[in-house]
Each structure stands twice: as C-alpha cells, then as structure tokens.
Amino acid sequence: MEKFLVKSKQALTNLSVYEKVRIVLGNQSCDLDSAVCALVQGLFQYYDVEKENRTNRTNVAVIPVMNILEKEFRVKTEVLYYLKHHKVPLSLLTFRDQIDLHALNVDNKLELVLVDHHTLTDEDSSLADSVVEIIDHRPQDAAWKWTGKRINLQTVGSCATLVAKTVLEKHPNLIDSQISNLLRGPILVDTCNFSREADRATPTDFEVIQSLEEVGSLDTERDVVYREILSAKTDISGLTPGDLMIKDLKVVNGVPIVGFPILVMDFLALNDAFEAIGTFTKSRYCSLTVLIGMDLKNNTVSRDIGVFSLDLNELENKIIKGVCNEE
C-alpha cells in the first residue's frame, strides 16, 4: 500500500505528463468504509494500470482521493485510528482540496471511479461523463442509471465487501495481512459486528470476511477489532459540536444528513449545540438539517432522529411525517 501511495503522491505533483488520471473517489462522509474502499480499490486499479502502461505504452496515473477537505480529516477519529494502526502513512493521503477534478475533466484527462456512492452532488454533476466505474452497496437510485459504465451495485452490509470480493477473485496476490485488516474493519463496523439485532449483514459479507481472515492469517478476534474502532469513533473528547456536525455528513437531494456517534438528545445537551446546528445549516445555504444519532453499547443499537429547520416549510413536515410513519 505504501509504495502505491508514494506513486500516487508523485503523480499528484506532475499531472500534466499523464494522458489520463484515474481518480478513485469515496463519498463525502469519508467514513471508514469510504476511505478504505478508495485506498484498496485504488491499489487494485494501480496494479491493472501498471500492466496496461507496460503492455500498451499508455501513461495513466491512479490516485485515491478522500472526498473531504484536508483540514476536516481530523474529525474522522475512527479513520485516523484505523489507518495509523495498520501502517498507512497519513501524509501520503490525497484530499479533495489537493486536486482539481473539474480542471482534469475539462482537459479530458479524468477517469473517475466512484466507491461507496453512486450519485454525484450538484457541484460534481458535470463530472458524470468521466465516470468509468461505480462500486456501491446501496440500492439503485432511479435518477442515476449509469448506462454504459462498469457497475457493481449490490445490497450488502459494506462497500468493502464488494471491493474485497473483487480483489480476492481477480488478484488474490494483493491480499496480505495489511489489506485484509483494512478491509475487515469497515465490514465489521457497517454490519455492527454481524449483530442479529442490526440485521445488516448478508451471506456475502460473511463469506468475504471469512476469506479475508483466512488469506490474511488474521488472529485478532472480531469483537476486539470492533470495540477498538467503536472506541475511536465515539471518542469525541477533542471535538466541538461544530466538529460533530461534519464528522459523518451526507447530502441527499440537497438536504444535509448529519450522523452522530451519540444520540441526538445527548448531542443537544452539549454546550453550544443549537448554535452549531444553526451555523452549519446556514453555511450550507439550506433551510433544514436532518440529525441522526446512534449509540452502540454491548452490541445493542439505539437510534434517534431530529429535524432542525430555520423556518416552517413543507419539506420539514414531509420528513417528520415520513419518520413518524404518518400518512
């Protein structure tokens, strides 16, 4: 992994010499699943591209990109912990504000691989024609059919499951202890450690994680790995309410959906929490923000939801009715 990331950073400093630049882009939440998938899928793409470069005398760079600003990465506590723990040099990561995808697109150099998402934001919609591959574990969004692209959309617990399955099938030689550990972490997190109560895991998730453990000779118990990641994820001691608003952020149809590693009711008890929500919502030029809290203790999942609105509006009422299952 480190050799690949060194090459990607070198490419970043001299993009003009490449015919194509293949970007492996995670989603805007940059959670553990998204970050790991960008890195491992990037390594997989790099392996194939290097063979192609030698065989066909092409000149293609591969760069995995964390889809957030570099300054925001510090709030991704579980990602920081897990990458460090498995010897991924954080200084070799590339962030969204370190590369201009739109300029590459205009120059007809961009090849975009989407992992852990298959929709583009309004700001990135112009990049759609440069998308060459999509890998996601969410149900198909009817507005994004992606005809003519390489598509791997399967409803499984984690996108890391799909990335791992492909690499195990096509390039098992790339799966060492480091890669196996990296991929196992998000699978455990996204399936809540295969909790029956959470009911997120599929047979494919079970099969893939077992293969990773066998190939990588992983001997650390799943429960231990899961608890360590969860501990890092829920360690908010160094974060402000404003930091928590961007720790696990997704945008759906223009509506910010903020995920907390604590319950919403506990977040609202923090000093300056309401001010942080209001400031965040205004900064996004939105009228409302959806808040989703989650508390995991002893493999028991507790959730709550809040809707914050700057003014009364129809969308707020629709969301509240939908949450409450009202007609």
Side-chain angles (χ1 to χ4, degrees):
M1 177 62 75
E2 183 170 350
K3 177 184 175 182
F4 159 58
L5 292 177
V6 168
K7 291 288 188 181
S8 75
K9 274 297 192 182
Q10 290 172 345
L12 183 65
T13 64
N14 200 15
L15 295 175
S16 61
V17 305
Y18 293 96
E19 298 172 25
K20 294 288 183 179
V21 180
R22 189 169 300 171
I23 301 297
V24 184
L25 186 69
N27 67 43
Q28 287 186 308
S29 72
C30 195
D31 59 9
L32 187 61
D33 193 26
S34 182
V36 166
C37 286
L39 292 172
V40 177
Q41 182 65 23
L43 175 65
F44 174 47
Q45 296 274 338
Y46 173 74
Y47 183 86
D48 279 351
V49 161
E50 281 297 285
K51 289 198 300 183
E52 183 181 335
N53 286 344
R54 290 192 298 269
T55 304
N56 299 325
R57 298 182 182 277
T58 55
N59 192 16
V60 180
V62 178
I63 304 175
V65 174
M66 306 292 107
N67 200 3
I68 57 170
L69 305 179
E70 182 182 15
K71 68 180 182 180
E72 295 179 350
F73 190 53
R74 64 183 183 81
V75 309
K76 310 296 180 180
T77 51
E78 75 281 12
V79 183
L80 285 165
Y81 157 74
Y82 206 64
L83 296 188
K84 283 182 181 178
H85 187 62
H86 292 295
K87 313 300 182 185
V88 176
L90 302 184
S91 62
L92 296 180
L93 300 179
T94 298
F95 297 91
R96 186 60 192 265
D97 51 333
Q98 295 175 334
I99 185 168
D100 190 341
L101 302 189
H102 293 274
L104 288 172
N105 189 47
V106 170
D107 292 340
N108 199 31
K109 287 191 171 191
L110 180 63
E111 292 182 345
L112 193 57
V113 177
L114 304 181
V115 293
D116 202 24
H117 67 306
H118 67 275
T119 65
L120 295 175
T121 63
D122 290 343
E123 307 92 89
D124 286 345
S125 60
S126 62
L127 304 178
D129 288 342
S130 293
V131 172
V132 295
E133 185 171 1
I134 302 101
I135 305 164
D136 194 14
H137 65 121
R138 293 167 181 79
Q140 173 79 57
D141 187 319
W144 294 88
K145 294 297 186 182
W146 294 113
T147 55
K149 315 291 185 180
R150 294 194 301 274
I151 300 175
N152 185 359
L153 289 180
Q154 298 181 49
T155 305
V156 294
S158 172
C159 188
T161 295
L162 301 179
V163 170
K165 189 173 187 292
T166 299
V167 180
L168 283 163
E169 290 173 350
K170 295 187 176 181
H171 295 298
N173 57 304
L174 293 180
I175 304 288
D176 57 13
S177 176
Q178 181 194 37
I179 301 303
S180 296
N181 270 307
L182 285 173
L183 289 165
R184 183 167 72 153
I187 296 173
L188 291 174
V189 171
D190 285 0
T191 61
C192 297
N193 197 19
F194 294 90
S195 161
R196 289 184 179 180
E197 181 187 34
D199 194 27
R200 294 184 179 181
T202 68
T204 302
D205 296 296
F206 281 102
E207 292 167 10
V208 166
I209 201 167
Q210 288 171 355
S211 295
L212 289 172
E213 290 167 345
E214 291 170 6
V215 174
S217 300
L218 307 186
D219 54 9
T220 306
E221 293 293 328
R222 293 178 187 176
D223 286 349
V224 173
V225 176
Y226 180 67
R227 286 197 303 268
E228 288 176 348
I229 298 173
L230 199 62
S231 177
K233 183 180 178 69
T234 56
D235 180 9
I236 60 173
S237 57
L239 303 181
T240 67
D243 291 334
L244 290 173
M245 293 297 297
I246 62 171
K247 181 171 169 56
D248 187 6
L249 170 65
K250 296 178 175 65
V251 179
V252 178
N253 294 327
V255 177
I257 299 179
V258 176
F260 297 128
I262 58 176
L263 294 176
V264 174
M265 61 183 295
D266 293 330
F267 172 79
L268 295 177
L270 300 175
N271 290 334
D272 301 322
F274 279 101
E275 291 81 354
I277 301 172
T279 299
F280 168 86
T281 304
K282 290 176 183 176
S283 72
R284 298 277 165 168
Y285 301 101
C286 297
S287 61
L288 62 81
T289 296
V290 177
L291 313 170
I292 300 178
M294 181 171 67
D295 183 51
L296 284 169
K297 291 178 181 176
N298 300 320
N299 284 341
T300 299
V301 183
S302 300
R303 297 179 182 274
D304 62 354
I305 297 177
V307 180
F308 174 87
S309 181
L310 294 171
D311 51 52
L312 295 174
N313 58 73
E314 184 179 354
L315 180 57
E316 175 192 14
N317 292 331
K318 284 183 178 179
I319 292 174
I320 292 173
K321 286 181 179 180
V323 169
C324 296
N325 291 319
E326 294 180 5
E327 293 298 326

